[in-house]
Amino acid sequence: EEQERQMTIDLGFAFLTLPDGEEVGIVDVPGHRDFIENMLAGVGGIDAVLLVVAADEGVMPQTREHLAILDLLRVSSGVVVITKTDLVEDPDWLELVSDDVRKTLQGTVLEGAPIVHVSAIRHTGLGELLQSLSDGLQKSPLRPDFGRPRLPIDRVFTLSGFGTVVTGTLTDGRFKVGEEVEILPGGLKGRVRGLQSHKRNEDVAYPGTRTAMNISGVSVEQICRGEVIAHPGDYRPTRRLDVQYQHLRAASSPLKHDLEVKCFHGTAEIVGRVRLLGKKELRPGEDGWLQIELREPAVAVRGDRYILRRPSPPETIGGGVVVDPHPTGRHKRFSEAVLTRLQALLQGTPDEIVQQTLMALGVAPLEDLILQSNLNQEVAKQVAVEMEADGRLLALSTPLTPKTLVASPVYWQQIEDRVIQTLDRYHQERPLRRGMPRQELKSKLAFAASLYNALISHLVSKGELEEVDTLVALYGHQIRLTPDQQVQVEKLLSRFAVDPFSPPTVKECLQELGEELFNALMDLGVLVRVSEEVVFRGEDYERLRQDVVQWLQAHGTVTVAELRDSWGTSRRYVLSLLEHLDAEGITVREGDVRRLKSN
C-alpha cells in the first residue's frame, strides 16, 4: 500500500555508515497527517532528526505539527532536507521554499539547523547531507547507562528457526545474551536468545542503539508494540502520571479539566483523562500541571517526555515531561502544597541536579560541573564530594581540585567501551596491522585531547590496551596470517635463507607479498628494513649487527670494503646497514671508517 500511494504509512528501519565511519540507525516515520500517530511511535528514542520538505510542495501543515512535536520532545539536533529538487527547474522557486522553511523554523528547536538541497534521482546533495548529519551527531551526548535497560517495542515479528523477535531503541542500560527479561506491563518472562544491531550479532546491546532481540519462552502473539522489555523487577507499571505540560500555541481550543486524550509515551499509545491542577483551563501557549489517569498501565520514569493528542477531532495539543510516575493518589486540584511539590520535583534535589549535569557534560573539570549545576557553589561541591565517596562520580586525578576532570562512572565506562569496540573493529578489518595509529584513533573518536590522553592512559594501566611506538592495540592482539599468506611468506623467506647477506630487495618483497603483508612482517620483526631498498630477516639483521659490534670491539674501526669482503656481499647492502646503525646510535662515521659510538 505504501508503494501504491508513494508515501510512508508505518515505521520503517534502516542504517547507514557516515563519512567518519560511525554507524547510525534510521527510523523512517510517516509525514502525512493521517498517520501522525504512527510517527509518534517512532520518534521517542532518536538523537537527531532529518526534517524532509518536498521542493515542489514546500512547508505543509504536517511540517509545522512535526516541528511542534520535536519541540515538546526536545529533539534539538537535526538537518532540514529539501528533497525532490529535480522536480523544480526554477531556482527562484527553490529559494522561496528555502526562505519559507527558515521562517517556519524560527522559534523552534531546529532554528539555525543546516538546510541541504537533495535529489535522490540525480544523487545531488547526498554528500553534504551525510556530512551535516555527522556534524550534528557529534554534538549529541552519549546515551546514559543507568544500569536498568528499557527497550520500548516498536516492531514484533517471527523468523523461522529463531522464534520471536522484537526491535526498538535501547535506553537506560544494556542487555546481554542469556539474561532473563520481563515484558511489561504484563509481566511475561522470557530469556534473551540473541541480540543484533545493524544486522550484526552482538553479545551486548548498549544504550542508544537500534536493537533487535530474539526472545525465547514467549510467542509473537503475546507481545505488541508499546510494551517494554526490561530486567525483572527494575520497573513498576503505573496508571497515573504527574506531569509538567505545555499546551501548544497552535491548539484549536483551551485544555479543560477531565478531557479525554491519547497519551504517547515511548512507543505506547494509551487513552486516558487529564486532571488539570491549579487552573480552570490552559489557553493555547500556556503551561501548567496535569495528573493523567490512564486506562492501561505504562512504564515511565521521571524525566520521560510525552505527547498528548485529542482523539476527536484528531489533533496534537501538547506535551511535556513526567515529574512523578508513581503519585500516591488523586491530588486536590487547587492545593498549593501539591503545586509546590511538583515544582520541586521538576527542578530535582541538589543530588539529582548535580548528577544530571554531570551526565550532560560527560567529562569536565569539577569547576565547570559546579558552575553548570546552577546551585550554590558550596552545596554543589559538597554533593560532588559525596558522589565521589560513594562511587557515583569518578575523579580522573587526585586530590579533588577545581581543575580535576570528573566523569560519571557510567559515562566513563561507555566511552571506554567505545574505544575498545573501535579498536576491535579495526583489528577485524585490518588483521595484518599491529595496531591503529594513535592519531587516527583520536580522530575517529572525536574526543578532546585532554580526555583522549586520559582515557588511553587509563585503559593501558588497566591492561585493556597496549601502546607500541605510535600505535594503539587491544592488549594481547596479534597479527595472524591466513594459510595462503603463510605459504607466500615461507616462499619468500626461503630466498632470504639462501643468501642472508644479499637478500631480496624491498621492491622484490613488495612484488611478492604486497604492501599490507610486507608491513605486517616488519611489525612482527620477521623482516627489518634498514633503507629504502634493503631489508633483512630479523635473525640475519641481529647477526650482522653483532658482527659489526664485535669487529669494532676487536679492531676499533671498520670500512665498508672490509665488511663487504668478510660477508661476501655487495657494497649496497653493507652501506645501507651501516647507515642504519649510525641512525640507531650504535656506530658513528669518521671519514671512511666507523667506530662504536661512545655513551
Side-chain angles (χ1 to χ4, degrees), residues 273-328:
R273 287 192 175 274
V274 298
R275 304 188 69 248
L276 180 55
L277 306 176
K279 295 182 180 180
K280 292 183 178 180
E281 66 175 23
L282 286 178
R283 292 188 293 272
E286 292 185 338
D287 55 42
W289 302 101
L290 304 179
Q291 188 169 62
I292 306 175
E293 296 190 325
L294 303 169
R295 287 187 189 173
E296 303 294 334
V299 179
V301 299
R302 194 175 80 83
D304 283 355
R305 312 295 303 188
Y306 70 94
I307 300 292
L308 294 187
R309 281 177 59 84
R310 187 173 53 207
S312 182
E315 177 188 8
T316 302
I317 58 173
V321 62
V322 176
V323 295
D324 187 354
H326 296 284
T328 54

Side-chain angles (χ1 to χ4, degrees), residues 419 423 427 434-439 441 452-461 463-477:
V419 172
L423 282 172
H427 291 331
R434 179 67 188 85
M436 187 175 187
R438 187 183 173 104
Q439 190 60 38
L441 177 61
Y452 176 73
N453 292 333
L455 188 57
I456 297 301
S457 297
H458 186 68
L459 286 169
V460 169
S461 67
E464 299 275 1
L465 306 183
E466 54 186 341
E467 292 186 278
V468 182
D469 298 325
T470 61
L471 302 178
V472 183
L474 294 179
Y475 184 80
H477 167 70

Side-chain angles (χ1 to χ4, degrees), residues 215-484:
I215 308 176
S216 62
V218 295
S219 67
V220 70
E221 295 81 14
Q222 294 175 292
I223 310 177
C224 63
R225 175 187 286 178
E227 293 185 309
V228 175
I229 309 293
H231 286 154
D234 274 359
Y235 294 96
R236 179 163 52 94
T238 180
R239 288 178 180 265
R240 185 176 283 136
L241 301 172
D242 286 350
V243 301
Q244 185 272 340
Y245 173 77
Q246 179 184 347
H247 200 46
L248 285 180
R249 192 175 300 278
S252 61
S253 60
L255 178 77
K256 297 185 181 294
H257 176 69
D258 206 35
L259 177 70
E260 184 175 80
V261 295
K262 288 183 178 179
C263 179
F264 293 85
H265 169 265
T267 58
E269 171 188 337
I270 306 174
V271 175
R273 287 192 175 274
V274 298
R275 304 188 69 248
L276 180 55
L277 306 176
K279 295 182 180 180
K280 292 183 178 180
E281 66 175 23
L282 286 178
R283 292 188 293 272
E286 292 185 338
D287 55 42
W289 302 101
L290 304 179
Q291 188 169 62
I292 306 175
E293 296 190 325
L294 303 169
R295 287 187 189 173
E296 303 294 334
V299 179
V301 299
R302 194 175 80 83
D304 283 355
R305 312 295 303 188
Y306 70 94
I307 300 292
L308 294 187
R309 281 177 59 84
R310 187 173 53 207
S312 182
E315 177 188 8
T316 302
I317 58 173
V321 62
V322 176
V323 295
D324 187 354
H326 296 284
T328 54
R330 276 191 165 199
H331 299 313
K332 293 180 180 180
R333 287 188 57 205
F334 297 96
S335 167
E336 283 299 326
V338 168
L339 299 179
T340 300
R341 175 180 172 275
L342 292 176
Q343 185 64 45
L345 284 173
L346 181 63
Q347 294 175 341
T349 65
D351 189 286
E352 290 170 334
I353 291 171
V354 173
Q355 188 153 347
Q356 289 170 3
T357 304
L358 183 60
M359 293 300 299
L361 290 173
V363 177
L366 177 61
E367 59 187 359
D368 288 0
L369 173 63
I370 292 171
L371 182 64
Q372 293 293 326
S373 68
N374 289 322
L375 294 172
N376 174 278
Q377 290 198 10
E378 288 304 317
V379 171
K381 183 177 180 181
Q382 183 58 37
V383 170
V385 169
E386 292 171 359
M387 288 174 61
E388 185 195 17
D390 62 22
R392 289 177 296 135
L393 179 146
L394 175 67
L396 302 188
S397 61
T398 55
L400 192 61
T401 70
K403 300 296 183 183
T404 301
L405 284 177
V406 296
S408 158
V410 170
Y411 177 85
W412 188 257
Q413 184 62 54
Q414 282 184 286
I415 58 177
E416 282 190 355
D417 290 346
R418 186 175 167 194
V419 172
I420 291 170
Q421 289 169 6
T422 301
L423 282 172
D424 183 56
R425 190 180 304 122
Y426 185 89
H427 291 331
Q428 291 180 30
E429 293 171 353
R430 299 169 179 82
L432 293 178
R433 296 192 183 180
R434 179 67 188 85
M436 187 175 187
R438 187 183 173 104
Q439 190 60 38
E440 182 181 346
L441 177 61
K442 179 178 179 295
S443 299
K444 178 77 72 174
L445 297 170
F447 291 151
S450 58
L451 171 58
Y452 176 73
N453 292 333
L455 188 57
I456 297 301
S457 297
H458 186 68
L459 286 169
V460 169
S461 67
K462 284 175 59 179
E464 299 275 1
L465 306 183
E466 54 186 341
E467 292 186 278
V468 182
D469 298 325
T470 61
L471 302 178
V472 183
L474 294 179
Y475 184 80
H477 167 70
Q478 294 181 343
I479 295 173
R480 291 183 174 84
L481 306 184
T482 66
D484 288 344

Side-chain angles (χ1 to χ4, degrees), residues 423-544:
L423 282 172
D424 183 56
R425 190 180 304 122
Y426 185 89
H427 291 331
Q428 291 180 30
E429 293 171 353
R430 299 169 179 82
L432 293 178
R433 296 192 183 180
R434 179 67 188 85
M436 187 175 187
R438 187 183 173 104
Q439 190 60 38
E440 182 181 346
L441 177 61
K442 179 178 179 295
S443 299
K444 178 77 72 174
L445 297 170
F447 291 151
S450 58
L451 171 58
Y452 176 73
N453 292 333
L455 188 57
I456 297 301
S457 297
H458 186 68
L459 286 169
V460 169
S461 67
K462 284 175 59 179
E464 299 275 1
L465 306 183
E466 54 186 341
E467 292 186 278
V468 182
D469 298 325
T470 61
L471 302 178
V472 183
L474 294 179
Y475 184 80
H477 167 70
Q478 294 181 343
I479 295 173
R480 291 183 174 84
L481 306 184
T482 66
D484 288 344
Q485 290 168 339
Q486 192 65 49
V487 169
Q488 286 180 275
V489 170
E490 290 172 359
K491 179 181 176 183
L492 177 66
L493 292 181
S494 65
R495 294 177 58 190
F496 277 81
V498 170
D499 192 351
F501 301 147
S502 301
T505 65
V506 169
K507 183 178 180 180
E508 290 173 312
C509 292
L510 289 171
Q511 288 174 342
E512 193 152 334
L513 298 179
E515 185 175 0
E516 193 83 6
L517 186 51
F518 175 71
N519 289 337
L521 293 184
M522 288 199 295
D523 284 342
L524 289 169
V526 174
L527 297 179
V528 177
R529 187 172 183 171
V530 297
S531 72
E532 288 296 315
E533 298 180 350
V534 176
V535 61
F536 294 101
R537 285 189 308 179
E539 62 262 40
D540 297 332
Y541 166 79
E542 187 59 30
R543 175 182 163 191
L544 293 171

